[in-house]
Amino acid sequence: MLLNFTVSNFTSFDKTKEFSMEAGRVRGKREHVAVSRYSRTLKFSAIYGANAAGKSNLIKAMNFARNVIVNNGHIPNGYTSSYNRVKADNINVPSTFEFEILLGKKRYTYGFSLLLASLTFEKEWLYDSTNNSKLLFSRSFDDESSLNFPIKGEDEKRIRIYFDDIKYDHETLFLSEMNRKKNETYKEITSIAFLRDVYNWFSKKLVFIYPEAGDPNRYSFTFNTDKKNLFSKLKIFGLDITDYKYEQTNIDNVLGPIPDELKKNLLADIEKSLAKKRRGEIKEEHRNFLFNGKNLYFFGLDSKDSVVFQTVKIQHGNLGEYLLSEESDGTRRILELVEVLLSTEDDVTYVIDEIDRSMHPLLTDAFISEYLSKVGERNIQLIVTTHESRLLNTNHLRRDEIWFMEKKNGNSDIWRFDQMEDTENTGTLARGDIRIETAYLNGRYGGIPNLITYINGDKL
């Protein structure tokens, strides 16, 4: 589970800013908190702010760091100018990303810094922060690097070889390198399994859902889950979906709208996946999903090992069958988000940017309410950015689950509601009751649009 995330010199963040999922001194709604010996971790947080305040930039920063880690240290294209450009000198200042996470009963702090302009790493570190912070390794890409694993003898020599091999490599992360074809190493040296566990949290447990509909991974979950559970959840949101089926389609319908180069790559990926299935590496019931920007398809093998493409058609009782592209934006959005409510995975941290995009305010409210109604039974987290102010009351949230963001002079700032001071002695902050929404919309806490009023063309 996520405990803390800090970022600096990235997009609208200049100085270091911290987002925390550690519970504050707030009473009530104890089921919203996962309690262990060394942590009290929130299972939900909502981030509020005006358009362009930096909410999506915070999510972008987390996802950027995650993608760098799981892609073997490869920095995605298009980020060379993503440093904070308010200050021209920031081009020469490293951008820093750090996560503190909870794995079982252990706390780990992992981070790295890099110069985005040159796409080179400057530092990397990992601490066991369970009790007294203990350095496990640090890399400065020079002779100051340090390796302090709980191993000795030949095991220590073996890991140090891996470590020293990339000592001066500014394009590689040690955490990523230690999870590239190292399965046998972890079997033989079990005491360094924390490297695999930390990496797996990023690769498997940190899940991002963006407002643009069409994530095949999310749809894949939805249409592979138990139908009874799926339809019971969809009814909560007033969706009259009663069934769905797979219907044979022509490959041209699937790949027709796709550019030739991308089509070539997709066909190569399909062949690789099918080869795995022929070798028995993929289960028979596994479906390989594709989304071409309009509709959802899956491919498989028939009895003659020929490639078969099918499309998903959604049934609405006796009102007909419809392709995914014929459904409303709101319906498609719910079909992506429903994984959060149905998944039985443990320790997953879901991060949803603009949860209210394409959804009626009542649907957003219903989704959050449904999640929170079962939050005591599940060990997962949900972090959302939103404009939905009706959530701002203690019938829904604890005060330490509410964050506000605001941008001034090009830089984003972020603060948590329970840490704010009531400098005007109004009692509004201390009470944290239904008046939070009214006070927020009146600008009491910041994080709202700076509107300019015009009458007959004149600015007031």
Side-chain angles (χ1 to χ4, degrees):
M1 301 179 83
L2 178 67
L3 296 173
N4 299 288
F5 171 70
T6 59
V7 58
S8 67
N9 194 27
F10 186 79
T11 58
S12 59
F13 301 101
D14 180 17
K15 301 300 181 182
T16 299
K17 298 299 177 183
E18 181 180 33
F19 171 78
S20 178
M21 291 294 287
E22 295 202 77
R25 298 179 179 179
V26 177
R27 297 180 180 180
K29 294 184 172 37
R30 295 181 180 178
E31 69 277 9
H32 290 206
V33 181
V35 179
S36 66
R37 181 178 179 182
Y38 294 107
S39 70
R40 297 177 64 250
T41 312
L42 294 169
K43 297 183 180 181
F44 179 79
S45 278
I47 305 169
Y48 288 84
N51 292 330
K55 302 186 302 299
S56 293
N57 282 342
L58 180 69
I59 306 307
K60 183 180 180 181
M62 295 172 64
N63 196 23
F64 169 82
R66 183 250 179 213
N67 287 336
V68 169
I69 295 165
V70 301
N71 290 313
N72 296 321
H74 175 71
I75 302 170
N77 294 326
Y79 283 92
T80 53
S81 60
S82 290
Y83 54 88
N84 181 268
R85 298 200 296 274
V86 173
K87 296 179 182 177
D89 290 345
N90 277 346
I91 189 173
N92 299 313
V93 176
S95 300
T96 301
F97 307 85
E98 183 179 84
F99 296 81
E100 187 172 14
I101 63 176
L102 182 68
L103 297 179
K105 297 180 180 180
K106 287 279 193 176
R107 297 172 66 121
Y108 293 98
T109 301
Y110 173 77
F112 62 86
S113 63
L114 74 162
L115 281 174
L116 287 168
S118 59
L119 301 180
T120 54
F121 294 107
E122 294 292 303
K123 291 183 179 180
E124 181 188 11
W125 59 90
L126 176 65
Y127 287 84
D128 180 343
S129 48
T130 305
N131 194 354
N132 295 320
S133 186
K134 177 183 178 182
L135 176 67
L136 295 171
F137 78 81
S138 67
R139 296 176 65 218
S140 300
F141 303 91
D142 55 27
D143 291 331
E144 298 299 318
S145 297
S146 176
L147 181 67
N148 299 302
F149 287 175
I151 50 177
K152 295 181 180 180
E154 292 301 316
D155 289 344
E156 195 272 341
K157 291 180 181 179
R158 180 176 174 182
I159 300 303
R160 186 164 292 281
I161 289 174
Y162 295 142
F163 189 74
D164 290 342
D165 276 348
I166 61 170
K167 178 180 287 188
Y168 305 107
D169 187 346
H170 286 264
E171 298 179 356
T172 302
L173 291 175
F174 183 60
L175 182 66
S176 303
E177 183 64 21
M178 284 302 298
N179 283 277
R180 190 171 65 87
K181 299 180 180 180
K182 296 288 194 300
N183 289 337
E184 290 302 316
T185 301
Y186 291 114
K187 290 179 181 177
E188 295 167 7
I189 311 176
T190 57
S191 59
I192 64 165
F194 58 86
L195 286 174
R196 178 194 59 206
D197 297 339
V198 170
Y199 179 86
N200 284 344
W201 184 83
F202 287 104
S203 65
K204 299 177 181 179
K205 301 294 187 178
L206 182 57
V207 178
F208 293 86
I209 304 177
Y210 282 95
E212 297 80 10
D215 187 335
N217 293 318
R218 308 280 78 78
Y219 287 142
S220 174
F221 173 89
T222 299
F223 293 108
N224 274 313
T225 193
D226 178 75
K227 285 188 176 183
K228 182 179 179 181
N229 290 337
L230 173 63
F231 298 143
S232 67
K233 291 298 182 187
L234 295 181
K235 284 182 180 179
I236 295 173
F237 308 107
L239 301 185
D240 60 349
I241 296 176
T242 55
D243 205 354
Y244 59 84
K245 67 178 183 178
Y246 302 98
E247 187 175 90
Q248 192 92 1
T249 189
N250 191 295
I251 189 173
D252 292 333
N253 293 332
V254 182
L255 303 180
I258 297 176
D260 290 342
E261 187 62 28
L262 181 56
K263 185 185 301 183
K264 180 180 177 181
N265 293 336
L266 277 174
L267 289 172
D269 289 342
I270 289 171
E271 184 52 43
K272 288 180 183 178
S273 183
L274 295 176
K276 288 182 179 179
K277 189 170 183 180
R278 292 185 183 102
R279 294 195 298 268
E281 297 175 17
I282 297 178
K283 296 180 180 180
E284 185 64 29
E285 65 271 16
H286 180 83
R287 297 186 185 276
N288 301 276
F289 280 85
L290 285 173
F291 184 78
N292 68 356
K294 293 183 177 181
N295 288 303
L296 185 66
Y297 303 91
F298 83 89
F299 57 89
L301 296 174
D302 62 14
S303 58
K304 298 180 180 179
D305 276 356
S306 297
V307 179
V308 174
F309 282 93
Q310 292 180 307
T311 188
V312 175
K313 278 201 168 181
I314 298 172
Q315 297 178 345
H316 293 265
N318 59 1
L319 301 178
E321 302 173 352
Y322 300 88
L323 294 168
L324 190 64
S325 60
E326 297 175 301
E327 298 290 343
S328 69
D329 290 342
T331 297
R332 294 200 299 269
R333 183 75 166 144
I334 288 294
L335 289 173
E336 284 190 300
L337 296 180
V338 76
E339 173 185 343
V340 178
L341 304 179
L342 291 176
S343 176
T344 58
E345 287 287 322
D346 203 24
D347 288 334
V348 179
T349 298
Y350 289 99
V351 185
I352 304 178
D353 191 24
E354 297 185 35
I355 189 172
D356 37 14
R357 173 74 70 89
S358 300
M359 293 209 299
H360 189 282
L362 291 177
L363 281 184
T364 304
D365 185 70
F367 183 89
I368 299 299
S369 296
E370 179 63 19
Y371 170 81
L372 293 176
S373 70
K374 302 292 193 299
V375 74
E377 305 168 12
R378 307 173 68 195
N379 196 34
I380 67 172
Q381 291 175 303
L382 175 60
I383 301 166
V384 305
T385 67
T386 182
H387 297 113
E388 186 43 65
S389 61
R390 72 182 62 211
L391 297 175
L392 288 171
N393 66 76
T394 52
N395 291 327
H396 279 92
L397 306 180
R398 294 162 50 99
R399 288 183 294 129
D400 51 4
E401 294 174 322
I402 300 170
W403 289 80
F404 298 111
M405 291 196 72
E406 194 168 62
K407 185 187 288 185
K408 292 183 179 180
N409 300 319
N411 291 314
S412 295
D413 196 8
I414 182 169
W415 57 92
R416 200 165 74 178
F417 183 68
D418 67 312
Q419 298 171 343
M420 297 175 67
E421 295 182 0
D422 186 15
T423 56
E424 298 177 13
N425 297 317
T426 63
T428 304
L429 296 178
R431 287 181 57 189
D433 61 11
I434 192 65
R435 290 189 294 161
I436 297 173
E437 179 182 8
T438 302
Y440 168 66
L441 294 176
N442 286 334
R444 177 71 176 82
Y445 315 129
I448 63 171
N450 184 21
L451 300 178
I452 299 175
T453 302
Y454 289 84
I455 295 181
N456 297 325
D458 295 325
K459 184 169 70 173
L460 296 182

